[in-house]
Amino acid sequence: MPVVAGVDSSTQSTTVVLRDADTGATLGSGRAPHSPTFPPVSEQHPHEWWDATVAAFAGARAAASVRPDDIVAVSVAAQCHGLVPLDAKGAVIRPAKLWNDTTAAAEIAGLTEQIGGDAWTDRIGTLPPPSFTIGKLAWLKAHEPENFAALATVLLPHDYLTWRLTGGAQGGRAVTDRSDASGTGYYSAPEGGYIISVLDLVDAGKDWPAMLPEVLDASAPAGTVPSAVAAELGVRTDAVVGAGAGDQHASAVGLGVGPGEFAYVLGTSGVVFTTSENPVFDHTGIVNSVADATGRYLPLICTLNAAKVTDTVARLLGVDHAALERLALAATDGAGLRPVLVSYLDGERTPNRPRSRGLLAGISSETSREELALAAFEGVVLGMERGQRRMQQMGIPLDGRLLVTGGGAASAAYRQVVADVTGRAVEVTDAQDAVAGGAAVQAAAVLRGADIRAVRDEWAPASRVVAEPSGRDYSRLRDTYTRAADWTGLDDAFND
């Protein structure tokens, strides 16, 4: 039986999902952790991702009871925006700066001033925040000039793993796809190419075209797995390798999200995305119009703080996740007068407030543990829903299913708060690992020589309603949240 593998290399771990190449049935999965990061400085060594990938493949093969020779195609989806710098020999120069590393805020601000925020948005569809790769390149030149001088190849996390899959320093292919490239700040999906003039603002002396990976179509092969890599990874020699994708982009494929449908992704970050035939251009910087993994677009908003907010509040209250959920679901309405949490714990990306901190407003001597627990869930969701409303203001249709995915999707409290805040029924799918599952869809498309959209629709998982709006009125609390979230008084108070 031919098997395809999808890889999800996230901030926290690597997951491998194995699927029947003919039917799409999930056969098994494996996972291996990454070392934790602590924003605003968030770094991991790419070698760690590869080691985790090898371990996750071993776990997936054992769970699925498949042999290495059964695995005939592989594709990788990974966290976006990270900078993997290679030297002329293909060695990693320094640990990768990840998407949630916000130390390049000053560099992004300087580039935005030179280019013009509206002009930059009109080229790439997004006003780049500090997370984008272009800022990390400028940071590297400003703070580590020797490392910048050694820079010969610029890869994103999924590009690096694809390069390793196809041979690495022994002949690996440096490629990317338009979904991940569109989150760099120097690739224009609407124009279909890199914007070298933006990179020249970082350093006009670099031969940037020679340093950047080739951008492949979604269903195009990146190459095959050579024998030495196949033996290490546990797949068939010459297994085909897909172009890969960004994580949220692959998730949209794995969930089978169509036009008008949208998803709340509750993971380390909070993401709201939908699919679109055409790009959008939001000069406020709230909505990012990145390319998707099928040749179209994926309008989205991304907040820096999501499930880790409830992790933190659970720790502060001295309870586990199950107890935090019970507390939150037991909270009374309080006529909209209960506390509200602005959950900018590690700064924030949307809105662009990298120096901000969290704010608990409206606390009184009568505040209960239940209200504090509910405020944690609401603080995450209200920030995401604010971005959703901006998407709707821009005319992006969001009248279809509302899907919830990510680690937080298993939480009854998150599901209910999303339903209550949005006033919409919440659905989940049978896809347990949507990002890795979407990468497996791409692997199957490449294996078949088929359009990825056709395989996406063929393998789309079923969904079911798991929460309905309770009728709780959020008009007053939403207004309180907005006023508290717009206060910038703490942005510099806890910074040097």
Side-chain angles (χ1 to χ4, degrees), residues 28-111:
S29 64
R31 182 174 285 108
H34 300 165
S35 59
T37 66
F38 303 96
V41 178
S42 181
E43 300 179 351
Q44 289 170 340
H45 201 291
H47 293 170
E48 181 182 346
W49 306 336
W50 181 255
D51 292 343
T53 301
V54 172
F57 260 98
R61 286 196 312 275
S65 298
V66 302
R67 303 168 304 157
D69 279 352
D70 294 331
I71 304 172
V72 295
V74 183
S75 190
V76 178
Q79 55 181 310
C80 300
H81 314 311
L83 170 61
V84 182
L86 304 183
D87 66 16
K89 295 182 179 180
V92 176
I93 296 171
R94 70 174 317 281
K97 279 192 167 294
L98 307 185
W99 66 274
N100 56 348
D101 185 301
T102 57
T103 54
E107 284 74 21
I108 282 289
L111 288 166

Side-chain angles (χ1 to χ4, degrees), residues 30-333:
R31 182 174 285 108
H34 300 165
S35 59
T37 66
F38 303 96
V41 178
S42 181
E43 300 179 351
Q44 289 170 340
H45 201 291
H47 293 170
E48 181 182 346
W49 306 336
W50 181 255
D51 292 343
T53 301
V54 172
F57 260 98
R61 286 196 312 275
S65 298
V66 302
R67 303 168 304 157
D69 279 352
D70 294 331
I71 304 172
V72 295
V74 183
S75 190
V76 178
Q79 55 181 310
C80 300
H81 314 311
L83 170 61
V84 182
L86 304 183
D87 66 16
K89 295 182 179 180
V92 176
I93 296 171
R94 70 174 317 281
K97 279 192 167 294
L98 307 185
W99 66 274
N100 56 348
D101 185 301
T102 57
T103 54
E107 284 74 21
I108 282 289
L111 288 166
T112 302
E113 184 176 355
Q114 292 182 74
I115 299 168
D118 289 355
W120 208 351
T121 300
D122 288 340
R123 293 292 300 275
I124 67 173
T126 301
L127 179 62
S131 58
F132 272 34
T133 318
I134 185 68
K136 295 174 173 63
L137 285 168
W139 183 95
L140 189 68
K141 181 179 181 181
H143 295 271
E144 298 179 1
E146 291 185 1
N147 285 336
F148 185 81
L151 185 64
T153 302
V154 178
L155 298 179
L156 302 170
H158 110 254
D159 308 344
Y160 172 79
L161 290 172
T162 302
W163 177 74
R164 289 290 301 264
L165 277 167
T166 55
Q170 285 71 50
R173 191 176 178 197
V175 298
T176 190
D177 84 306
R178 62 192 289 275
S179 75
D180 215 356
S182 64
T184 60
Y186 50 81
Y187 178 83
S188 171
E191 297 174 15
Y194 289 114
I195 309 174
I196 301 303
S197 60
V198 171
L199 289 161
D200 283 342
L201 292 176
V202 176
D203 190 307
K206 289 282 191 181
D207 183 9
W208 293 111
M211 299 169 64
L212 301 174
E214 180 184 356
V215 182
L216 301 180
D217 291 337
S219 301
T224 57
V225 181
S227 57
V229 177
E232 181 181 11
L233 203 62
V235 303
R236 179 183 295 183
T237 297
D238 292 332
V240 67
V241 180
D247 51 1
Q248 304 304 335
H249 318 77
S251 177
V253 173
L255 293 170
V257 174
E261 300 177 332
F262 62 112
Y264 270 56
V265 185
L266 295 160
T268 304
S269 60
V271 179
V272 182
F273 68 72
T274 187
T275 60
S276 173
E277 291 289 326
N278 301 302
V280 296
F281 303 92
D282 184 6
H283 290 161
T284 71
I286 300 299
V287 179
N288 298 333
S289 180
V290 296
D292 76 352
T294 74
R296 288 172 170 75
Y297 294 90
L298 194 79
L300 63 82
I301 66 97
C302 179
T303 63
L304 192 63
N305 302 275
K308 61 183 173 182
V309 175
T310 41
D311 291 344
T312 299
V313 174
R315 175 175 57 81
L316 293 175
L317 290 176
V319 299
D320 60 17
H321 290 284
L324 187 74
E325 286 192 50
R326 289 194 294 271
L327 287 169
L329 292 171
T332 59
D333 185 59

Side-chain angles (χ1 to χ4, degrees), residues 340-365:
V340 64
L341 175 67
V342 179
S343 57
Y344 301 167
L345 303 192
D346 295 318
E348 188 46 76
R349 165 178 169 165
T350 305
N352 184 19
R353 302 262 297 278
R355 295 174 65 84
S356 191
R357 289 294 182 268
L359 175 67
L360 181 63
I363 191 169
S364 76
S365 60

